[in-house]
């Protein structure tokens, strides 16, 4: 049986290693050092990705950013207390400084 560390992003097998009785752990805080005995020593193996992370400026990354901007605008619009509802371009530009005003207006 292989033990593993797993979360939403990756899975990695772990293996226990033999530890000499002379080894110990030094813990440093801002004010002091502590010495502790080490009971077990595990090493993590190669990570196996479970979730694809798109590269910068890939089609998937650009689609995600576009959809994220659209949802942000939608939520900002429905949160508006004005009657009729409205949003300010400055609020959107503050949240997405890398986007030009024309690309934001295209999503409105």
């Amino acid at each position: 049986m292989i033990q593993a560390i797993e979360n939403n992003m990756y899975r990695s097998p772990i293996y226990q290693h033999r530890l000499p009785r002379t080894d110990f752990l030094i813990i440093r805080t801002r004010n002091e050092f502590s010495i502790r005995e080490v009971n077990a020593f595990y090493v993590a193996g190669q990570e196996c990705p479970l979730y694809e992370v798109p590269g910068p400026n890939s089609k998937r990354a650009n689609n995600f950013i576009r959809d994220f901007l659209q949802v942000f605008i939608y939520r900002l619009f429905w949160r508006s207390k004005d009657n009729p509802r409205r949003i300010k371009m400055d609020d959107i530009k503050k949240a997405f400084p890398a986007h030009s005003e024309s690309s934001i207006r295209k999503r409105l």
Side-chain angles (χ1 to χ4, degrees):
M1 179 171 86
I2 296 178
Q3 295 175 327
I5 296 174
E6 185 172 339
N7 61 23
N8 293 339
M9 296 289 287
Y10 66 88
R11 179 184 305 127
S12 180
I14 58 173
Y15 304 97
Q16 186 171 9
H17 280 252
R18 300 207 190 286
L19 191 64
R21 301 304 293 156
T22 57
D23 287 1
F24 55 90
L25 179 66
I26 296 179
I27 301 170
R28 178 181 165 226
T29 63
R30 290 183 183 204
N31 303 323
E32 64 185 9
F33 288 92
S34 302
I35 297 177
R36 302 261 170 91
E37 284 187 37
V38 180
N39 298 329
F41 183 62
Y42 291 87
V43 175
Q46 183 174 354
E47 294 178 357
C48 176
L50 299 176
Y51 186 80
E52 182 182 347
V53 178
N57 290 324
S58 67
K59 183 169 180 154
R60 288 189 72 190
N62 290 337
N63 287 346
F64 175 80
I65 292 169
R66 181 198 65 210
D67 295 344
F68 189 72
L69 174 63
Q70 194 97 29
V71 167
F72 180 84
I73 292 170
Y74 178 81
R75 288 178 179 165
L76 197 61
F77 179 76
W78 283 104
R79 216 180 303 142
S80 173
K81 303 280 189 224
D82 298 330
N83 192 3
R85 294 185 193 280
R86 57 185 159 175
I87 53 178
K88 294 181 182 173
M89 181 62 84
D90 290 338
D91 294 339
I92 302 169
K93 284 170 50 178
K94 201 181 301 178
F96 295 88
H99 282 61
S100 65
E101 190 169 327
S102 61
S103 69
I104 293 172
R105 286 186 184 278
K106 199 188 310 184
R107 300 286 156 228
L108 291 173

